[in-house]
Amino acid sequence: MTIYVALLHSVVLTPQRRVIMSDLRAMAEEIGFRNPRTLVSTGNLIFETKQKSVAQIEKKLETAFASRFGRIVDIIARSADGWRAIVSANPFPEESGRDGDRVAARIMRKPLDDEALAALRPYQKDERLAVVAGDLWCSFAGKPSESRLLPAMTTKRLGVGTSRNWNTIRGIGEMLGD
């Protein structure tokens, strides 16, 4: 069995309804994934299954999600080793050590290149940006919710991806163990 991490782009179906993590774990079991676990209530799923491509995992989860919850949601998957590579690639270790909520990565389905940084420069003020292994990392100078940059990191501008702060990235890594 291979361990995978899956990140849902958004677990808010309507303003009144969120996906409950126990329902997400149940969905994963129903489609044959073993030992599903979640971290916080923002759509972070870890599970085991026979080795498959990340694209196969994403498609299977997206299809099941749409069937069960009635909404199409982008889901980004990585193998456990792929996730460990993300954790070790953090280009802002000092900043994330001070405040893990102010460092985030947008985990991408298709790798970004440095052109993505150019597209975001008009929205950038005091934030620091880096593309590492195709994922976009950002160190926010203040609260991310107050940054002009965060709302500019859209699917339309960057492609399919989803953001997680360093605390969540590290927490998933800890759940995977060594």
Side-chain angles (χ1 to χ4, degrees):
M1 288 290 166
T2 302
I3 299 174
Y4 292 90
V5 174
L7 309 174
L8 282 69
H9 175 65
S10 174
V11 294
V12 178
L13 302 178
T14 67
Q16 298 80 26
R17 184 164 177 239
R18 291 185 166 271
V19 173
I20 306 300
M21 294 301 99
S22 59
D23 293 341
L24 183 62
R25 290 189 301 269
M27 180 202 79
E29 285 182 328
E30 289 167 7
I31 60 174
F33 295 160
R34 291 186 174 173
N35 194 23
R37 304 148 337 259
T38 54
L39 176 70
V40 298
S41 294
T42 55
N44 306 297
L45 179 66
I46 300 169
F47 56 91
E48 300 167 23
T49 191
K50 292 179 182 177
Q51 188 168 5
K52 298 177 182 180
S53 73
V54 168
Q56 289 172 312
I57 296 287
E58 290 170 344
K59 183 174 172 78
K60 188 170 187 172
L61 283 167
E62 287 175 349
T63 300
F65 190 92
S67 175
R68 182 170 179 121
F69 298 105
R71 177 153 181 231
I72 296 170
V73 171
D74 291 324
I75 299 176
I76 308 301
R78 294 288 188 272
S79 67
D81 287 343
W83 192 263
R84 289 181 188 105
I86 291 169
V87 173
S88 66
N90 179 354
F92 305 116
E94 289 181 32
E95 294 91 331
S96 58
R98 285 193 301 270
D99 188 348
D101 287 336
R102 291 191 181 184
V103 173
R106 182 171 170 92
I107 311 301
M108 301 301 299
R109 179 165 289 161
K110 294 182 181 175
L112 294 175
D113 56 28
D114 288 338
E115 289 178 26
L117 298 178
L120 293 172
R121 282 209 179 86
Y123 307 96
Q124 187 179 1
K125 187 176 177 186
D126 298 323
E127 302 88 355
R128 293 178 56 208
L129 296 172
V131 173
V132 180
D135 297 320
L136 177 66
W137 286 81
C138 184
S139 175
F140 294 92
K143 292 180 180 180
S145 61
E146 295 174 357
S147 170
R148 287 184 43 216
L149 186 61
L150 189 62
M153 296 201 256
T154 63
T155 299
K156 185 175 182 180
R157 186 170 281 118
L158 300 175
V160 175
T162 188
S163 296
R164 296 296 187 272
N165 70 29
W166 174 247
N167 292 331
T168 301
I169 293 167
R170 186 188 68 234
I172 292 170
E174 290 170 357
M175 286 179 71
L176 294 171
D178 292 317

PDB file of all heavy atoms in Angstrom, residues 82-105:
ATOM      1  N   GLY A  82       6.220  12.653  -1.995  1.00  0.00           N
ATOM      2  CA  GLY A  82       6.032  13.965  -2.612  1.00  0.00           C
ATOM      3  C   GLY A  82       5.715  15.029  -1.575  1.00  0.00           C
ATOM      4  O   GLY A  82       6.187  16.166  -1.664  1.00  0.00           O
ATOM      5  N   TRP A  83       4.912  14.650  -0.562  1.00  0.00           N
ATOM      6  CA  TRP A  83       4.582  15.616   0.491  1.00  0.00           C
ATOM      7  C   TRP A  83       5.803  15.931   1.346  1.00  0.00           C
ATOM      8  O   TRP A  83       6.050  17.088   1.694  1.00  0.00           O
ATOM      9  CB  TRP A  83       3.433  15.116   1.368  1.00  0.00           C
ATOM     10  CG  TRP A  83       2.949  16.247   2.212  1.00  0.00           C
ATOM     11  CD1 TRP A  83       3.290  16.532   3.501  1.00  0.00           C
ATOM     12  CD2 TRP A  83       2.100  17.305   1.781  1.00  0.00           C
ATOM     13  NE1 TRP A  83       2.689  17.698   3.900  1.00  0.00           N
ATOM     14  CE2 TRP A  83       1.953  18.193   2.868  1.00  0.00           C
ATOM     15  CE3 TRP A  83       1.444  17.594   0.578  1.00  0.00           C
ATOM     16  CZ2 TRP A  83       1.173  19.342   2.796  1.00  0.00           C
ATOM     17  CZ3 TRP A  83       0.666  18.736   0.502  1.00  0.00           C
ATOM     18  CH2 TRP A  83       0.546  19.591   1.604  1.00  0.00           C
ATOM     19  N   ARG A  84       6.584  14.904   1.662  1.00  0.00           N
ATOM     20  CA  ARG A  84       7.794  15.143   2.444  1.00  0.00           C
ATOM     21  C   ARG A  84       8.738  16.088   1.695  1.00  0.00           C
ATOM     22  O   ARG A  84       9.412  16.910   2.311  1.00  0.00           O
ATOM     23  CB  ARG A  84       8.476  13.820   2.753  1.00  0.00           C
ATOM     24  CG  ARG A  84       7.715  12.983   3.764  1.00  0.00           C
ATOM     25  CD  ARG A  84       8.444  11.672   4.080  1.00  0.00           C
ATOM     26  NE  ARG A  84       7.623  10.818   4.897  1.00  0.00           N
ATOM     27  CZ  ARG A  84       6.986   9.727   4.453  1.00  0.00           C
ATOM     28  NH1 ARG A  84       7.112   9.333   3.188  1.00  0.00           N
ATOM     29  NH2 ARG A  84       6.246   9.004   5.268  1.00  0.00           N
ATOM     30  N   ALA A  85       8.776  15.987   0.376  1.00  0.00           N
ATOM     31  CA  ALA A  85       9.594  16.896  -0.427  1.00  0.00           C
ATOM     32  C   ALA A  85       9.093  18.329  -0.305  1.00  0.00           C
ATOM     33  O   ALA A  85       9.892  19.273  -0.241  1.00  0.00           O
ATOM     34  CB  ALA A  85       9.616  16.441  -1.890  1.00  0.00           C
ATOM     35  N   ILE A  86       7.778  18.508  -0.254  1.00  0.00           N
ATOM     36  CA  ILE A  86       7.208  19.848  -0.062  1.00  0.00           C
ATOM     37  C   ILE A  86       7.637  20.409   1.281  1.00  0.00           C
ATOM     38  O   ILE A  86       8.077  21.557   1.378  1.00  0.00           O
ATOM     39  CB  ILE A  86       5.666  19.819  -0.187  1.00  0.00           C
ATOM     40  CG1 ILE A  86       5.255  19.544  -1.636  1.00  0.00           C
ATOM     41  CG2 ILE A  86       5.042  21.114   0.332  1.00  0.00           C
ATOM     42  CD1 ILE A  86       3.789  19.236  -1.826  1.00  0.00           C
ATOM     43  N   VAL A  87       7.528  19.597   2.329  1.00  0.00           N
ATOM     44  CA  VAL A  87       7.905  20.050   3.672  1.00  0.00           C
ATOM     45  C   VAL A  87       9.367  20.475   3.698  1.00  0.00           C
ATOM     46  O   VAL A  87       9.712  21.548   4.215  1.00  0.00           O
ATOM     47  CB  VAL A  87       7.631  18.950   4.723  1.00  0.00           C
ATOM     48  CG1 VAL A  87       8.188  19.352   6.082  1.00  0.00           C
ATOM     49  CG2 VAL A  87       6.136  18.650   4.822  1.00  0.00           C
ATOM     50  N   SER A  88      10.233  19.676   3.114  1.00  0.00           N
ATOM     51  CA  SER A  88      11.665  19.989   3.168  1.00  0.00           C
ATOM     52  C   SER A  88      12.062  21.127   2.236  1.00  0.00           C
ATOM     53  O   SER A  88      13.134  21.696   2.378  1.00  0.00           O
ATOM     54  CB  SER A  88      12.494  18.733   2.873  1.00  0.00           C
ATOM     55  OG  SER A  88      12.298  18.322   1.543  1.00  0.00           O
ATOM     56  N   ALA A  89      11.190  21.494   1.292  1.00  0.00           N
ATOM     57  CA  ALA A  89      11.509  22.539   0.320  1.00  0.00           C
ATOM     58  C   ALA A  89      11.142  23.942   0.790  1.00  0.00           C
ATOM     59  O   ALA A  89      11.377  24.901   0.053  1.00  0.00           O
ATOM     60  CB  ALA A  89      10.788  22.241  -1.004  1.00  0.00           C
ATOM     61  N   ASN A  90      10.596  24.093   1.963  1.00  0.00           N
ATOM     62  CA  ASN A  90      10.168  25.401   2.457  1.00  0.00           C
ATOM     63  C   ASN A  90      11.289  26.430   2.282  1.00  0.00           C
ATOM     64  O   ASN A  90      12.328  26.328   2.932  1.00  0.00           O
ATOM     65  CB  ASN A  90       9.770  25.282   3.931  1.00  0.00           C
ATOM     66  CG  ASN A  90       9.330  26.604   4.538  1.00  0.00           C
ATOM     67  OD1 ASN A  90       9.412  27.660   3.926  1.00  0.00           O
ATOM     68  ND2 ASN A  90       8.857  26.544   5.766  1.00  0.00           N
ATOM     69  N   PRO A  91      11.077  27.435   1.427  1.00  0.00           N
ATOM     70  CA  PRO A  91      12.121  28.424   1.203  1.00  0.00           C
ATOM     71  C   PRO A  91      12.165  29.528   2.267  1.00  0.00           C
ATOM     72  O   PRO A  91      13.049  30.388   2.224  1.00  0.00           O
ATOM     73  CB  PRO A  91      11.751  29.012  -0.163  1.00  0.00           C
ATOM     74  CG  PRO A  91      10.259  28.931  -0.183  1.00  0.00           C
ATOM     75  CD  PRO A  91       9.930  27.637   0.538  1.00  0.00           C
ATOM     76  N   PHE A  92      11.242  29.488   3.215  1.00  0.00           N
ATOM     77  CA  PHE A  92      11.149  30.526   4.237  1.00  0.00           C
ATOM     78  C   PHE A  92      11.170  29.915   5.648  1.00  0.00           C
ATOM     79  O   PHE A  92      10.257  30.121   6.446  1.00  0.00           O
ATOM     80  CB  PHE A  92       9.874  31.356   4.039  1.00  0.00           C
ATOM     81  CG  PHE A  92       9.748  31.943   2.671  1.00  0.00           C
ATOM     82  CD1 PHE A  92       8.708  31.570   1.830  1.00  0.00           C
ATOM     83  CD2 PHE A  92      10.680  32.870   2.203  1.00  0.00           C
ATOM     84  CE1 PHE A  92       8.591  32.107   0.560  1.00  0.00           C
ATOM     85  CE2 PHE A  92      10.565  33.412   0.932  1.00  0.00           C
ATOM     86  CZ  PHE A  92       9.522  33.038   0.101  1.00  0.00           C
ATOM     87  N   PRO A  93      12.215  29.162   5.990  1.00  0.00           N
ATOM     88  CA  PRO A  93      12.225  28.478   7.294  1.00  0.00           C
ATOM     89  C   PRO A  93      12.241  29.425   8.489  1.00  0.00           C
ATOM     90  O   PRO A  93      11.599  29.150   9.502  1.00  0.00           O
ATOM     91  CB  PRO A  93      13.478  27.611   7.239  1.00  0.00           C
ATOM     92  CG  PRO A  93      14.345  28.232   6.189  1.00  0.00           C
ATOM     93  CD  PRO A  93      13.408  28.872   5.209  1.00  0.00           C
ATOM     94  N   GLU A  94      12.958  30.539   8.380  1.00  0.00           N
ATOM     95  CA  GLU A  94      12.993  31.473   9.511  1.00  0.00           C
ATOM     96  C   GLU A  94      11.620  32.080   9.761  1.00  0.00           C
ATOM     97  O   GLU A  94      11.152  32.131  10.901  1.00  0.00           O
ATOM     98  CB  GLU A  94      14.022  32.572   9.262  1.00  0.00           C
ATOM     99  CG  GLU A  94      15.449  32.073   9.346  1.00  0.00           C
ATOM    100  CD  GLU A  94      16.455  33.188   9.114  1.00  0.00           C
ATOM    101  OE1 GLU A  94      16.164  34.352   9.476  1.00  0.00           O
ATOM    102  OE2 GLU A  94      17.533  32.877   8.567  1.00  0.00           O
ATOM    103  N   GLU A  95      10.966  32.531   8.690  1.00  0.00           N
ATOM    104  CA  GLU A  95       9.659  33.137   8.818  1.00  0.00           C
ATOM    105  C   GLU A  95       8.618  32.142   9.343  1.00  0.00           C
ATOM    106  O   GLU A  95       7.810  32.466  10.194  1.00  0.00           O
ATOM    107  CB  GLU A  95       9.186  33.722   7.483  1.00  0.00           C
ATOM    108  CG  GLU A  95      10.019  34.888   6.994  1.00  0.00           C
ATOM    109  CD  GLU A  95      11.186  34.486   6.091  1.00  0.00           C
ATOM    110  OE1 GLU A  95      11.713  33.348   6.241  1.00  0.00           O
ATOM    111  OE2 GLU A  95      11.576  35.297   5.248  1.00  0.00           O
ATOM    112  N   SER A  96       8.662  30.921   8.820  1.00  0.00           N
ATOM    113  CA  SER A  96       7.681  29.926   9.256  1.00  0.00           C
ATOM    114  C   SER A  96       7.947  29.492  10.692  1.00  0.00           C
ATOM    115  O   SER A  96       7.013  29.119  11.401  1.00  0.00           O
ATOM    116  CB  SER A  96       7.658  28.723   8.314  1.00  0.00           C
ATOM    117  OG  SER A  96       8.926  28.120   8.231  1.00  0.00           O
ATOM    118  N   GLY A  97       9.187  29.575  11.128  1.00  0.00           N
ATOM    119  CA  GLY A  97       9.505  29.289  12.527  1.00  0.00           C
ATOM    120  C   GLY A  97       8.951  30.333  13.470  1.00  0.00           C
ATOM    121  O   GLY A  97       8.579  30.028  14.601  1.00  0.00           O
ATOM    122  N   ARG A  98       8.878  31.566  13.002  1.00  0.00           N
ATOM    123  CA  ARG A  98       8.322  32.648  13.819  1.00  0.00           C
ATOM    124  C   ARG A  98       6.803  32.626  13.844  1.00  0.00           C
ATOM    125  O   ARG A  98       6.185  32.853  14.878  1.00  0.00           O
ATOM    126  CB  ARG A  98       8.807  34.009  13.314  1.00  0.00           C
ATOM    127  CG  ARG A  98      10.235  34.326  13.670  1.00  0.00           C
ATOM    128  CD  ARG A  98      10.572  35.795  13.427  1.00  0.00           C
ATOM    129  NE  ARG A  98      10.373  36.210  12.052  1.00  0.00           N
ATOM    130  CZ  ARG A  98      11.301  36.147  11.092  1.00  0.00           C
ATOM    131  NH1 ARG A  98      12.488  35.670  11.378  1.00  0.00           N
ATOM    132  NH2 ARG A  98      11.042  36.563   9.878  1.00  0.00           N
ATOM    133  N   ASP A  99       6.186  32.397  12.680  1.00  0.00           N
ATOM    134  CA  ASP A  99       4.725  32.413  12.600  1.00  0.00           C
ATOM    135  C   ASP A  99       4.292  31.583  11.394  1.00  0.00           C
ATOM    136  O   ASP A  99       4.281  32.076  10.259  1.00  0.00           O
ATOM    137  CB  ASP A  99       4.204  33.850  12.480  1.00  0.00           C
ATOM    138  CG  ASP A  99       2.695  33.956  12.575  1.00  0.00           C
ATOM    139  OD1 ASP A  99       2.006  32.907  12.505  1.00  0.00           O
ATOM    140  OD2 ASP A  99       2.187  35.089  12.713  1.00  0.00           O
ATOM    141  N   GLY A 100       3.920  30.346  11.633  1.00  0.00           N
ATOM    142  CA  GLY A 100       3.539  29.423  10.574  1.00  0.00           C
ATOM    143  C   GLY A 100       2.282  29.814   9.824  1.00  0.00           C
ATOM    144  O   GLY A 100       2.038  29.326   8.727  1.00  0.00           O
ATOM    145  N   ASP A 101       1.485  30.718  10.397  1.00  0.00           N
ATOM    146  CA  ASP A 101       0.285  31.189   9.700  1.00  0.00           C
ATOM    147  C   ASP A 101       0.622  32.179   8.599  1.00  0.00           C
ATOM    148  O   ASP A 101      -0.207  32.453   7.739  1.00  0.00           O
ATOM    149  CB  ASP A 101      -0.683  31.860  10.676  1.00  0.00           C
ATOM    150  CG  ASP A 101      -1.382  30.861  11.581  1.00  0.00           C
ATOM    151  OD1 ASP A 101      -1.487  29.687  11.201  1.00  0.00           O
ATOM    152  OD2 ASP A 101      -1.822  31.272  12.675  1.00  0.00           O
ATOM    153  N   ARG A 102       1.818  32.742   8.629  1.00  0.00           N
ATOM    154  CA  ARG A 102       2.189  33.771   7.651  1.00  0.00           C
ATOM    155  C   ARG A 102       3.018  33.228   6.489  1.00  0.00           C
ATOM    156  O   ARG A 102       3.442  33.997   5.627  1.00  0.00           O
ATOM    157  CB  ARG A 102       2.930  34.909   8.341  1.00  0.00           C
ATOM    158  CG  ARG A 102       2.006  35.686   9.248  1.00  0.00           C
ATOM    159  CD  ARG A 102       2.638  36.938   9.728  1.00  0.00           C
ATOM    160  NE  ARG A 102       1.713  37.642  10.621  1.00  0.00           N
ATOM    161  CZ  ARG A 102       1.961  38.800  11.141  1.00  0.00           C
ATOM    162  NH1 ARG A 102       3.086  39.412  10.879  1.00  0.00           N
ATOM    163  NH2 ARG A 102       1.080  39.366  11.933  1.00  0.00           N
ATOM    164  N   VAL A 103       3.254  31.941   6.472  1.00  0.00           N
ATOM    165  CA  VAL A 103       3.933  31.304   5.347  1.00  0.00           C
ATOM    166  C   VAL A 103       2.976  30.272   4.769  1.00  0.00           C
ATOM    167  O   VAL A 103       2.402  29.467   5.503  1.00  0.00           O
ATOM    168  CB  VAL A 103       5.258  30.636   5.780  1.00  0.00           C
ATOM    169  CG1 VAL A 103       5.860  29.837   4.638  1.00  0.00           C
ATOM    170  CG2 VAL A 103       6.243  31.689   6.276  1.00  0.00           C
ATOM    171  N   ALA A 104       2.796  30.323   3.457  1.00  0.00           N
ATOM    172  CA  ALA A 104       1.858  29.405   2.807  1.00  0.00           C
ATOM    173  C   ALA A 104       2.437  28.933   1.482  1.00  0.00           C
ATOM    174  O   ALA A 104       3.290  29.595   0.884  1.00  0.00           O
ATOM    175  CB  ALA A 104       0.514  30.096   2.573  1.00  0.00           C
ATOM    176  N   ALA A 105       1.955  27.793   1.051  1.00  0.00           N
ATOM    177  CA  ALA A 105       2.304  27.281  -0.274  1.00  0.00           C
ATOM    178  C   ALA A 105       1.021  26.998  -1.028  1.00  0.00           C
ATOM    179  O   ALA A 105       0.065  26.459  -0.462  1.00  0.00           O
ATOM    180  CB  ALA A 105       3.140  26.013  -0.174  1.00  0.00           C
TER     181      ALA A 105
END
